[in-house]
Amino acid sequence: DQQVKQNSPSLSVQEGRISILNCDYTNSMFDYFLWYKKYPAEGPTFLISISSIKDKNEDGRFTVFLNKSAKHLSLHIVPSQPGDSAVYFCAARANRDDKIIFGKGTRLHILP
Amino acid sequence: DAGVTQSPTHLIKTRGQQVTLRCSPKSGHDTVSWYQQALGQGPQFIFQYYEEEERQRGNFPDRFSGHQFPNYSSELNVNALLLGDSALYLCASSFGLAGGILGETQYFGPGTRLLVL
């Protein structure tokens, strides 16, 4: 039972354009959402997060949007750069002390 | 400042064997969490260690056990290996118990890739 779903296994975007990665969740108890980035042969690294009391959080080129009514969040990367090519994991947590649930990931390819 | 280190990087075992994976946390961190990432899947939480005790556990059988040492390093042991245990095993460290679950304060190691034949 996938509580965090990333339905696009891969995405290709032209360098300089916007990359939009989507994530859906089923558990209405989730109160905190995170995005991780993973390069081959490395562990995931934290990218950006958002609390359920907000609908947007921005950090440089990265913005996460949360639509609680639709149980949907998205990560926007503008402008996309070659170094953004990686696997991106959406993750969620039900409360402060609960474990983090990860989606299956989306592989982002930035094309020259 | 060394980050999270894991050993070995790769491992091949046969069904029924036992395996021990090791993790050294980032300097200053005292909490270690273990994750299993099967091919094509996201990381799945196995358990978390703090003050040498297992504090939280995910949905994994008792064949998966762990240990944390006084220097905060940790081991993951898997007994009676199954083909389905083939995966990348990730260790993540953080400071403090509550911070151990806060995703943004966790630092992941590169993982140990286990293949069970």
Side-chain angles (χ1 to χ4, degrees):
Chain A
D1 178 26
Q2 278 277 314
Q3 297 187 64
V4 177
K5 301 177 184 179
Q6 293 178 260
N7 293 320
S8 298
S10 67
L11 176 68
S12 294
V13 174
Q14 207 76 34
E15 181 179 354
R17 305 292 291 269
I18 182 172
S19 295
I20 300 176
L21 294 95
N22 293 304
C23 177
D24 298 296
Y25 62 95
T26 58
N27 188 342
S28 58
M29 298 301 293
F30 285 147
D31 69 348
Y32 204 80
F33 303 88
L34 309 99
W35 285 93
Y36 284 83
K37 177 179 180 179
K38 186 179 186 302
Y39 292 121
E42 294 183 13
T45 55
F46 169 75
L47 195 55
I48 192 170
S49 63
I50 187 167
S51 164
S52 61
I53 63 172
K54 295 185 175 182
D55 55 17
K56 176 182 175 182
N57 188 27
E58 191 172 355
D59 183 3
R61 296 187 299 113
F62 303 91
T63 303
V64 56
F65 295 91
L66 175 63
N67 182 335
K68 282 198 301 181
S69 61
K71 294 192 178 67
H72 176 83
L73 63 156
S74 60
L75 173 68
H76 293 212
I77 306 173
V78 182
S80 300
Q81 298 175 354
D84 297 330
S85 293
V87 176
Y88 290 79
F89 291 103
C90 173
R93 187 194 71 199
N95 60 61
R96 181 180 171 83
D97 297 323
D98 203 358
K99 61 183 181 292
I100 295 168
I101 308 294
F102 284 83
K104 291 185 178 183
T106 295
R107 184 176 298 278
L108 176 64
H109 301 271
I110 304 302
L111 306 171
Chain B
D1 176 26
V4 180
T5 59
Q6 293 186 242
S7 63
T9 55
H10 295 82
L11 203 52
I12 300 175
K13 291 285 188 179
T14 56
R15 280 177 297 175
Q17 284 189 311
Q18 178 264 347
V19 68
T20 297
L21 310 182
R22 295 177 176 82
C23 172
S24 290
K26 180 180 169 60
S27 177
H29 285 181
D30 57 5
T31 303
V32 173
S33 300
W34 287 92
Y35 293 81
Q36 179 195 67
Q37 185 183 1
L39 197 62
Q41 305 292 318
Q44 277 197 293
F45 176 76
I46 303 175
F47 42 53
Q48 180 196 55
Y49 276 84
Y50 174 72
E51 291 186 338
E52 302 180 46
E53 289 188 12
E54 183 182 297
R55 298 291 178 157
Q56 289 221 11
R57 189 179 182 92
N59 189 23
F60 279 81
D62 292 345
R63 298 187 297 109
F64 290 77
S65 63
H67 188 78
Q68 186 178 34
F69 299 93
N71 67 352
Y72 309 121
S73 67
S74 177
E75 288 181 350
L76 164 66
N77 301 292
V78 186
N79 294 322
L81 284 167
L82 304 173
L83 295 180
D85 295 331
S86 295
L88 179 68
Y89 288 85
L90 294 163
C91 169
S93 75
S94 53
F95 177 73
L97 186 58
I101 293 296
L102 288 174
E104 65 266 40
T105 63
Q106 287 193 86
Y107 289 79
F108 282 86
T112 293
R113 188 163 296 282
L114 172 65
L115 178 61
V116 182
L117 301 176

